[in-house]
């Protein structure tokens, strides 16, 4: 090019790139100018000609000569070891030696040098000129002389681009990365990404960076082999040959990592520009997801609909960018209309960011909320043909006005769903784009085929109808928490898990089969999905994160207050039963309709038990405040920032107390959540029951007595307000809740006053915490999703404090628990977080923890192929999971022991002869089983429990109603007898599990059979049978029968007999000859018989102390 053409090209390039960098957040214009110039200097001649053609000046491009080389010092480098090419080269024939990633003066790379363009005014800033020369380290690179002007610094984004391009210099394929990525023209299929073939220029960075981690991976894998939960850590894909390392370490269950995916052919092509891989815009694991999802979208199910893909990756894996890449891939392939559904319309900006990060800035994107009802045309973000990507929320999807058509089909004029269906079908080739169900768990509550539609949510039914109305569209399900029950899989119709060509003809058959197989069947289903290439289930690695279970004991005043609260609720139960019986007598005497009256009584009893559960739940949360404050202050002294996680705020409690008591409530201080719950019960439905009974004088006196008992109770204040006060007040604590106003202490002894929280209060509090201005934060349900509280590398240095999350209240649902715990564990974190789960040592609290523990295990089994892999905290919570067949059996066995009076086979820890450890010495104790049996029967009678259960032979995965009732009502008993009753059931549970372990019938999930507890085991396959083979991928589901030999050496056997034998002495223990016949041949071996061990202490905090070794069996 001549000087005029070069100047015009540079002016066009600089104007666009400078505007882009400033829009991206680069605040220093001089930095932006330096970055633009650096990109221009690294651009090759054909790319510059393209920019010149965009101007009106003709292009002159004489052939370059091979003489006149300029040697640049290799030691003069920018921050990324890339020396900027001087812009003062005086002829078109000059060549310069440019150091790429040179480490010494003699390591250089050859790059053609271009002529310095004449400075010209740019559209972005007409009054300024282009810099005279690019400088580095205070030297003019063209002459080596010192310059007085400050060198222009490169922003981080520009540095990354320069570094990536410098790597491509070695292969001679350097091209401009500015502006939208150049799409290959027709016939240039070689320019698309070939994911099945290794390309040095597209995986150079991956090879260099992964070299230093290879040995570390092997060491880490060796450490995890012996654990109960083996995780495979990685940063690059094993199946895709191109792409950069993922920014953070990812993990997937070892069982899933061992599965071989369908092999990608070498000519597997993604319709994405090559710079997507070369510049690391998509990492290798992300490219794997895109490649296998695109592969699934090319296939069709036997029913004729297009196959779908499930993207089950967790936080930090980049699901949004994968969705954007798939839309761009299909767009470049000819599909021009796509729908992106997500949880909120506010996430439209995140979707736009994902497209921009990929370089797909030319894709039309608009929000459905900006469009009026009716047929969708061009404009408002769509292109001239009405094509593009429409972003909508699930809430908006169900919006409508007027009524549907006569045949029930949604129309564009009255329904948002109808709009999308009509628009997708109206594209070229019909509905052939992508329907991306981001946050797909929003659509999980859909009734199964032929089920009761009243039980399904409207958003789930709308999402299902959108899929069915567009059979030719590709469907992507994206959620890390897509299903926490087997019935939640009903919306995944495009995965082809049931129907023609599958073992199960309908979803009901699949559901019944998986429920019958338990967690193992769920794990097998997820492994099958992975083997057939329809599932991705990675998560951010928890390497370096720690989980600590913190038991809290009720002692002193808190214990006496709890016992008094139990007496109040026991008396309330007596009154409720008397009122119910009195009402039944009146109904019978007046010959009223029994069914209606009995239904009302049943509803009132549910209200009573609901209030009882809420009261004790709040009381237990209050009991954890002291421990939470102690943990938080200690962590703050260690230089950590603390996040206290809870689920409820108590706002309605505070407002109710203020409305009832007026100004007196403000003088009294913070409201008490347990007290308000009890007050509602007494003055709500209990008073209504009293008014429905005619002869109620004695009953009314009982109600007044209950009110006096409640007034005498010393109940703690609202835990949220108490935590803020004790941690320094609002000036020190960031409150991330949904409260519109809060009570704030006005000083010692002077009461409280209300303080309004503005609409943007959470954003301000979040900013203060992340910038290090506040070292404490309290997070509740309203802020448990969508925010980042982790130790981000991009934060100021003083704000990069390690994070410590203290959980004092966990939600009921597994997906919400994962969202809550994920606030401090996200991508790009400098230091992994620490977690502390605070629980009391009361047996009744297991009711609250066991619910989420069970659902987390089901989530891990169904979505990740391993029941222990849903979250790093699962292993800590596993001991609380009693909602299974062993929990049902143990409760049934305990009731049977109390009914029949026979002696138990378990040595209970609460009986005097079996007490061991300091904690056991402090717990309640009974001298004999007969004495405990009598007290236990009386206690169960006080809380209205009969010594019977219908769960004896129940083996389903559904929660046991009887076990839940037992745990709920235990909360009404004073701590001594409460813990003893729970320990009885828990120790029977451990006993039953131990028996099945000894028999080899216990299902512990995925295990490493040849190396358990550090002992090598001989494993032989004696039978293998193929049950099902996928015709498309060849993936096999097999039944395999193995023979395991857990042999011991003779000295080891003697040691085991001495260490684990029954100390009471058993004549049956010892060595025996065992003969077995197999395949007509007999074989004899020596076996060691040892009595089954005695198990104790299943409750939180009931384990024996470490220093009580002398008492251990």
């Amino acid at each position: 090019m001549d000087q005029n053409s070069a100047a015009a090209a540079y002016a066009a390039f600089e104007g666009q790139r400078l505007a882009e960098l400033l829009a991206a957040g680069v605040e220093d214009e001089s930095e932006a100018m330096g970055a633009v110039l650096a990109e221009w200097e690294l651009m090759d001649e054909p790319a510059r000609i393209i920019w010149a053609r965009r101007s009106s000046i003709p292009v002159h491009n004489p052939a370059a000569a091979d003489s006149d080389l300029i040697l640049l010092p290799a030691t003069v480098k920018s921050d990324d070891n890339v020396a900027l090419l001087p812009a003062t080269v005086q002829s078109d024939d000059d060549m310069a030696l440019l150091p790429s990633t040179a480490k010494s003066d003699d390591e250089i790379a050859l790059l053609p040098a271009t002529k310095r363009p004449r400075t010209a005014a740019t559209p972005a800033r007409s009054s300024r000129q282009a810099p005279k020369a690019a400088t580095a380290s205070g030297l003019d690179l063209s002459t080596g002389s010192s310059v007085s002007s400050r060198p222009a610094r490169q922003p981080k984004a520009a540095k990354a681009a320069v570094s990536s391009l410098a790597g491509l210099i070695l292969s001679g394929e350097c091209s401009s990365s500015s502006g939208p990525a150049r799409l290959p023209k027709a016939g240039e299929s070689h320019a698309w990404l070939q994911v099945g073939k290794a390309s040095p220029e597209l995986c150079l960075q991956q090879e260099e960076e992964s070299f230093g981690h290879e040995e570390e991976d092997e060491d880490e894998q060796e450490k995890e082999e012996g654990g109960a939960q083996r995780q495979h850590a990685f940063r690059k894909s094993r199946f895709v040959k191109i792409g950069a390392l993922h920014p953070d370490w990812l993990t997937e269950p070892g069982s899933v990592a061992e599965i071989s995916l369908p092999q990608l052919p070498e000519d597997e092509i993604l319709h994405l520009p090559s710079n997507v891989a070369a510049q690391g815009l998509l990492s290798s694991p992300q490219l794997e997801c895109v490649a296998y999802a695109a592969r699934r979208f090319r296939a069709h199910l036997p029913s004729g609909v297009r196959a779908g893909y499930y993207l089950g990756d967790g936080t930090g894996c980049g699901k949004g960018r994968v969705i954007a890449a798939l839309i761009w891939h299909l767009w470049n392939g000819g599909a021009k209309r796509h729908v992106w559904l997500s949880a909120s319309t506010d996430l439209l900006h995140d979707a736009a960011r994902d497209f921009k990060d990929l370089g797909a800035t030319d894709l039309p994107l608009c929000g459905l909320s900006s469009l009026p009802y009716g047929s969708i045309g061009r404009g408002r973000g769509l292109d001239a043909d009405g094509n593009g990507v429409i972003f909508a929320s699930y809430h908006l999807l169900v919006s409508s006005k007027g009524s549907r058509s006569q045949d029930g089909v949604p129309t564009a004029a009255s329904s948002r769903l109808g709009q999308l269906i009509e628009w997708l079908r109206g594209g070229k080739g019909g509905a052939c784009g992508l329907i991306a169900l981001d946050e797909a768990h929003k659509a999980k509550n859909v009734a199964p085929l032929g089920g009761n539609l009243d039980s399904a949510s409207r958003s789930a039914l709308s999402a299902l109808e959108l899929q069915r109305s567009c059979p030719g569209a590709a469907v992507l399900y994206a959620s890390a928490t897509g299903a926490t029950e087997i019935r939640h899989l009903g919306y995944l119709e495009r995965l082809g898990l049931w129907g023609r060509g599958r073992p199960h003809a309908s979803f009901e058959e699949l559901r019944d089969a998986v429920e019958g197989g338990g967690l193992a069947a769920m794990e097998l289903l997820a492994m099958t999905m992975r083997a057939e290439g329809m599932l991705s289930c990675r998560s951010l690695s928890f390497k370096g994160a720690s989980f600590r279970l913190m038991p809290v004991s009720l002692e002193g005043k808190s214990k006496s207050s709890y016992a008094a609260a139990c007496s109040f609720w026991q008396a309330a139960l007596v009154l409720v039963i008397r009122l119910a019986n009195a009402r039944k007598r009146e109904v019978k005497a007046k010959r009223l309709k029994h069914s209606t009256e009995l239904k009302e009584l049943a509803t009132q009893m549910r209200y009573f038990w609901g209030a009882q559960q809420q009261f004790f739940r709040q009381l237990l949360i209050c009991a954890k405040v002291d421990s939470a404050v102690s943990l938080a202050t200690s962590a703050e002294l260690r230089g950590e920032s603390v996040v206290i996680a809870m689920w409820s705020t108590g706002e309605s409690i505070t407002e109710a107390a203020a409305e009832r008591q007026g100004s007196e409530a403000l003088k009294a201080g913070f409201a008490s959540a347990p007290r308000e719950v009890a007050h509602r019960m007494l003055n709500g439905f209990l008073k209504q029951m009293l008014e429905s009974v005619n002869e109620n004088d004695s009953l009314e006196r009982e109600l007044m007595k209950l009110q006096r008992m409640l007034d005498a109770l010393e109940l703690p204040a609202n835990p949220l307000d108490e935590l803020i006060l004790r941690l320094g007040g609002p000036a020190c604590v960031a409150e991330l809740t949904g409260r519109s106003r809060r009570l704030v202490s006005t000083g010692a002894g002077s009461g409280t006053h209300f303080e309004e929280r503005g609409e943007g209060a959470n954003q301000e509090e979040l900013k203060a915490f992340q910038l290090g201005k506040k070292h404490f934060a309290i997070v509740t349900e309203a802020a448990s999703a969508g925010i980042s509280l982790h130790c981000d590398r991009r934060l100021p240095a003083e704000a990069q404090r390690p994070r410590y999350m203290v959980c004092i209240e966990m939600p009921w649902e597994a997906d919400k628990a994962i969202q809550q715990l994920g606030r401090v564990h996200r991508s790009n974190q400098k230091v992994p977080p620490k977690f502390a789960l605070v629980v009391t040592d009361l047996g009744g609290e297991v009711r609250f923890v066991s619910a989420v523990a069970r659902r987390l295990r089901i989530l891990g089994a169904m979505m990740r192929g391993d029941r222990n892999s849903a979250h790093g905290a699962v292993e800590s919570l596993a001991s609380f999971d009693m909602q299974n067949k062993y929990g049902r059996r143990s409760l049934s066995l305990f009731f049977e022991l109390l009914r029949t009076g026979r002696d138990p086979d378990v040595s209970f820890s609460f009986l005097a002869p079996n007490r061991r450890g300091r904690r056991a010495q402090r717990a309640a104790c009974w001298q004999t089983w007969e004495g405990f049996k009598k007290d236990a029967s009386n206690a169960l009678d006080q809380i209205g429990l009969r010594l019977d259960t219908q769960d004896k032979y129940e083996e389903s995965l559904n929660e046991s109603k009887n076990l839940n009732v037992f745990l709920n009502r235990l909360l009404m008993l004073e701590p001594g007898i409460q813990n003893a009753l729970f320990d009885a059931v828990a120790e029977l549970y451990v006993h039953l599990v131990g028996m099945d372990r000894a028999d080899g019938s216990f299902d512990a999930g995925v295990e490493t059979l040849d190396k358990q507890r550090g002992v090598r085991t001989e494993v032989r396959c004696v039978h293998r049978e193929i049950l099902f083979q996928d015709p498309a991928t060849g993936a096999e589901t097999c039944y395999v029968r193995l023979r395991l030999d857990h042999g011991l050496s003779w000295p080891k056997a003697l040691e085991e007999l001495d260490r684990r034998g029954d100390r009471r002495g058993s004549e049956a223990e010892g060595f025996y000859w065992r003969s077995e016949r197999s395949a007509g041949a007999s074989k004899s071996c020596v076996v060691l018989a040892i009595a089954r061990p005695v198990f104790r202490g299943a409750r939180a905090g009931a384990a024996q102390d470490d220093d009580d070794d002398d008492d251990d069996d």
Side-chain angles (χ1 to χ4, degrees), residues 727-776:
L727 291 175
C732 301
V733 182
E735 179 185 337
L736 301 170
T737 69
R739 294 200 295 187
S740 57
R741 63 174 186 168
R742 61 185 177 186
L743 277 178
V744 178
S745 175
T746 56
S750 57
T752 58
H753 69 277
F754 274 109
E755 178 183 84
E756 297 293 332
R757 301 182 75 239
E759 185 175 345
N762 278 351
Q763 291 297 324
E764 293 297 324
E765 296 279 52
L766 174 62
K767 183 178 180 181
F769 179 77
Q770 286 297 87
L771 293 179
K773 297 179 181 178
K774 297 183 179 182
H775 296 163
F776 303 105

Side-chain angles (χ1 to χ4, degrees), residues 406-419:
Q406 294 181 354
D407 56 0
V409 178
T411 62
S414 61
S415 167
R416 292 296 191 182
L417 175 61
Q419 277 186 293

Side-chain angles (χ1 to χ4, degrees), residues 400-415 418 421 425 465:
S400 62
K401 67 175 184 178
S403 59
R404 291 191 174 191
S405 61
Q406 294 181 354
D407 56 0
V409 178
T411 62
S414 61
S415 167
I421 294 175
R425 289 174 173 176
E465 188 170 357

